[in-house]
Amino acid sequence: MEVLLKRHTLTVEQYHQMFDAGIITERDKVELIKGEIIDMSPIGNRHSHYVGQLTDIFYEIFGRGVVIRGQMPIQLDNLSEPEPDIALCLPPRRRYIDHSPTPTETLLVVEVSHTSLGFDQQIKLPLYAEAGIPELWILDVEGQKLYVSKQPKDGQYLSQKTYTTSDTLPVEIQGTLHQIPVSQILE
């Protein structure tokens, strides 16, 4: 006999109210995915290293031309507010003082996967594609690969490429093309 459980789906507004009421605190490493509160993977030293490495590269390339957000929420819709490892968003930073960036304000999202590759590829990738995030990078720390997904349409990315340390990654943000050696990202 199959047991069906009733689930209560939370909206982003209800999720924020839980923070305001102290039910969820900053110490709780969670994010809202499709109306459900999901525990995030712990951040270890290797994970932190690659988030820092990418942040440094983005600052060097883009300076203040984009807002670089590290492990901060973006609001995809009324039911999802994930916290990607890095998000490049439209400037100025002050525009996000009263709201999390939306898909139309988000240029690129990066998920660094040390222990969460399956979750990032199976749950987050389609979530970002459905929301219309223009570009998603999933950095596979263990496999030393960078998966780049672009051109979201109908809930999937039309372009998906895998890069290794011998490749150079073309990155175009706001009409400016840059070439990044993948070995620089994965060092």
Side-chain angles (χ1 to χ4, degrees):
M1 178 168 131
E2 185 178 333
V3 176
L4 297 177
L5 300 176
K6 266 190 156 179
R7 293 182 183 215
H8 179 77
T9 302
L10 296 175
T11 66
V12 170
E13 182 180 352
Q14 291 167 327
Y15 180 64
H16 287 201
Q17 289 171 349
M18 292 175 79
F19 274 100
D20 293 343
I23 297 167
I24 302 172
T25 69
E26 295 289 327
R27 286 178 276 128
D28 296 308
K29 299 296 181 193
V30 296
E31 56 190 342
L32 187 68
I33 306 290
K34 294 189 175 185
E36 293 187 42
I37 298 172
I38 306 293
D39 288 330
M40 296 188 329
S41 295
I43 298 171
N45 291 331
R46 292 187 73 192
H47 183 276
S48 296
H49 166 77
Y50 289 109
V51 170
Q53 182 74 359
L54 277 165
T55 301
D56 290 348
I57 290 168
F58 289 145
Y59 273 119
E60 184 179 311
I61 293 173
F62 302 113
R64 294 190 174 266
V66 298
V67 173
I68 302 170
R69 294 173 54 95
Q71 298 167 331
M72 297 178 194
I74 58 174
Q75 184 174 347
L76 301 182
D77 56 29
N78 194 38
L79 298 175
S80 294
E81 192 176 66
E83 294 187 18
D85 291 306
I86 301 171
L88 301 185
C89 300
L90 294 173
R93 184 173 300 281
R94 182 153 182 76
R95 81 190 291 160
Y96 308 113
I97 199 165
D98 292 321
H99 76 281
S100 297
T102 63
T104 59
E105 297 169 312
T106 305
L107 306 167
L108 169 70
V109 166
V110 180
E111 294 289 352
V112 175
S113 298
H114 184 216
T115 60
S116 61
L117 184 61
F119 181 76
D120 292 336
Q121 289 179 325
Q122 295 169 26
I123 304 298
K124 284 201 167 175
L125 185 143
L127 185 73
Y128 291 134
E130 288 169 14
I133 297 297
E135 187 166 345
L136 168 65
W137 295 6
I138 297 176
L139 180 63
D140 176 5
V141 172
E142 290 302 315
Q144 292 288 284
K145 294 179 182 168
L146 179 64
Y147 302 99
V148 176
S149 301
K150 298 180 182 182
Q151 301 171 335
K153 184 175 181 184
D154 299 327
Q156 59 185 354
Y157 284 102
L158 300 180
S159 172
Q160 294 187 327
K161 294 185 180 175
T162 303
Y163 294 87
T164 63
T165 55
S166 62
D167 297 320
T168 299
L169 173 65
V171 181
E172 185 173 347
I173 300 287
Q174 294 185 309
T176 304
L177 181 64
H178 299 273
Q179 301 287 335
I180 302 173
V182 177
S183 60
Q184 184 182 359
I185 295 169
L186 288 166
E187 63 182 30

